Amino acid sequence: MPRGQKSKLRAREKRRQARSETQGPGSAQATAAEVKESCSSPVSEGTPSSPPAAGTAQEPQGAPATSSPAAGVSRPRSHVGAKSQVVESENSSQASASTESPRKALLTRKAEMLVQFLLYKYEMKEPIKKAHMLKVVNKRYREDFPEILKRASERIELIFGLELKEVKPNSQSYTLVSKLDLSNDGSLSSGWGFPKNGLLMPLLGVIFLNGNRTSEEKIWEFLNMLGVYDGMNHFIFGEPRKLITQDLVQEKYLEYRQMPDSDPPCYEFLWGPRAHAETSKMEVLEFLAKVNDTVPSAFLSHYEEALRDEEERAQARAAARAATPATASARSRATSSRYSHP
């Protein structure tokens, strides 16, 4: 077969695979890519990361290695003490870049790199300087830096519950502060209110986008993409298995149960009653849209489901309001009746 024809066939097959990966609404991998799209994996312990692939652009030193979030589990597994280089993949953000403008896609990639760098600094308890952040994104993008920093700050707060604050006005020095109400051992503290940032919202998103129930295996596949591993203490979330199978379950935000007729036993996650009461499918969809720089209606079938859920909630609230006066009136009549007849 002529070389040109082979090349066309390979290109056609790649396009077919890309469509199949991004169109399946129930795919846990697609879900993970959607949530992961806007945040790079945190750097932690493990084995050295691979060298840059051909065609990638190399950035200045001073930040941990990263790779395309759409490429799957991309967390570098080297210890963070080494001064590694940031590698920017030209084909990162495969799901969203096809519909983004080139400039928006570029800013998204730069924000992902900056998230990686900020997590590295947070874990190492090192100061965060504006000059260092500019090196990470490349000084050529100085004019775009405020927008890049804004995007990175939003994503690191939404996904990891960390807020970026300037140490002093005009000091060009920053620190990350945890907004999650965790105790010293990483478990949820008593009286913990529903978090609008942190790991719970992405987990609820994965469950919702996978048909409102997700196997434990798929949950861990997703968490691995965020740099959270079973059996490995996470520098923000503590022991992840305890967090998702005990703490969040005891707080009734998640339901963790054995799948019917599974032998050997397999487990799955669902929304818990407190999640149903304190948030909604539309709010979770808005969260997913925000971290992906899109709108809720981009998740078409799930957006329609979220709209139905909103309508049902509104009807339930209206019915409850209507029932309250009727109940009060009935009680009043019963009380009057008791006291009017000796």
Side-chain angles (χ1 to χ4, degrees):
M1 183 182 294
R3 182 178 300 177
Q5 192 171 351
K6 286 184 178 179
S7 178
K8 289 181 181 178
L9 287 173
R10 284 197 295 269
R12 187 182 305 163
E13 178 62 16
K14 285 182 180 179
R15 287 196 298 270
R16 186 193 65 77
Q17 289 178 353
R19 284 196 300 269
S20 66
E21 289 171 357
T22 57
Q23 288 175 352
S27 165
Q29 292 177 342
T31 305
E34 286 158 359
V35 180
K36 174 72 167 56
E37 188 69 36
S38 60
C39 66
S40 297
S41 311
V43 179
S44 191
E45 300 177 349
T47 57
S49 58
S50 58
T56 57
Q58 229 167 303
E59 297 288 351
Q61 288 187 345
T66 183
S67 60
S68 164
V73 181
S74 59
R75 194 189 93 167
R77 298 180 62 93
S78 58
H79 189 66
V80 290
K83 287 187 177 180
S84 51
Q85 294 178 320
V86 173
V87 180
E88 179 189 356
S89 172
E90 295 295 333
N91 62 353
S92 73
S93 307
Q94 66 173 18
S96 63
S98 60
T99 57
E100 288 181 333
S101 67
R103 181 179 180 276
K104 185 177 179 181
L106 174 64
L107 295 182
T108 296
R109 292 199 298 272
K110 293 295 182 180
E112 289 167 356
M113 294 165 61
L114 194 53
V115 166
Q116 183 91 314
F117 174 76
L118 293 172
L119 290 172
Y120 166 81
K121 288 293 188 180
Y122 180 78
E123 185 176 14
M124 290 292 94
K125 297 179 174 59
E126 294 178 356
I128 302 168
K129 302 289 186 181
K130 181 179 178 180
H132 296 162
M133 290 191 283
L134 277 169
K135 284 184 180 180
V136 170
V137 301
N138 196 312
K139 291 182 179 180
R140 288 179 297 174
Y141 302 99
R142 184 183 297 273
E143 291 184 1
D144 293 313
F145 180 73
E147 175 64 20
I148 294 169
L149 182 61
K150 176 177 175 291
R151 291 183 182 212
S153 301
E154 287 177 349
R155 289 161 189 167
I156 206 168
E157 181 175 346
L158 287 168
I159 302 294
F160 297 100
L162 298 174
E163 183 178 6
L164 185 69
K165 291 187 174 182
E166 196 169 10
V167 176
K168 293 180 181 178
N170 302 317
S171 66
Q172 298 192 341
S173 181
Y174 298 82
T175 185
L176 284 167
V177 179
S178 177
K179 297 182 71 176
L180 300 178
D181 193 8
L182 301 177
S183 63
N184 291 333
D185 64 357
S187 62
L188 301 178
S189 63
S190 59
W192 189 58
F194 186 83
K196 297 300 181 185
N197 47 36
L199 201 56
L200 178 58
M201 287 295 274
L203 286 173
L204 295 178
V206 173
I207 294 169
F208 175 34
L209 266 64
N210 281 279
N212 299 307
R213 63 182 66 229
T214 305
S215 68
E216 182 176 6
E217 180 184 6
K218 290 181 179 179
I219 287 290
W220 283 112
E221 286 176 5
F222 166 72
L223 291 176
N224 289 351
M225 295 182 75
L226 293 179
V228 180
Y229 291 85
D230 191 5
M232 290 181 61
N233 201 63
H234 191 268
F235 67 100
I236 295 174
F237 302 118
E239 209 296 297
R241 174 165 289 277
K242 179 178 181 294
L243 177 64
I244 68 172
T245 64
Q246 295 182 36
D247 297 334
L248 290 171
V249 172
Q250 289 170 3
E251 292 284 340
K252 300 188 184 302
Y253 286 119
L254 293 178
E255 186 177 340
Y256 179 62
R257 70 184 189 189
Q258 184 177 337
M259 298 173 70
D261 304 321
S262 59
D263 186 21
C266 297
Y267 294 84
E268 64 182 0
F269 286 89
L270 296 85
W271 284 28
R274 195 169 172 186
H276 281 290
E278 296 182 17
T279 190
S280 67
K281 293 178 179 179
M282 186 60 76
E283 285 186 354
V284 170
L285 210 56
E286 288 170 350
F287 168 88
L288 294 174
K290 188 170 184 177
V291 298
N292 284 286
D293 292 319
T294 186
V295 292
S297 57
F299 304 86
L300 184 56
S301 63
H302 299 93
Y303 181 67
E304 292 170 351
E305 182 179 346
L307 286 175
R308 290 193 297 271
D309 181 64
E310 289 293 293
E311 186 176 349
E312 290 170 3
R313 285 170 174 266
Q315 291 174 353
R317 287 192 296 268
R321 285 194 298 268
T324 301
T327 303
S329 177
R331 287 176 179 170
S332 177
R333 287 196 300 271
T335 303
S336 300
S337 175
R338 281 202 306 270
Y339 287 104
S340 61
H341 297 283

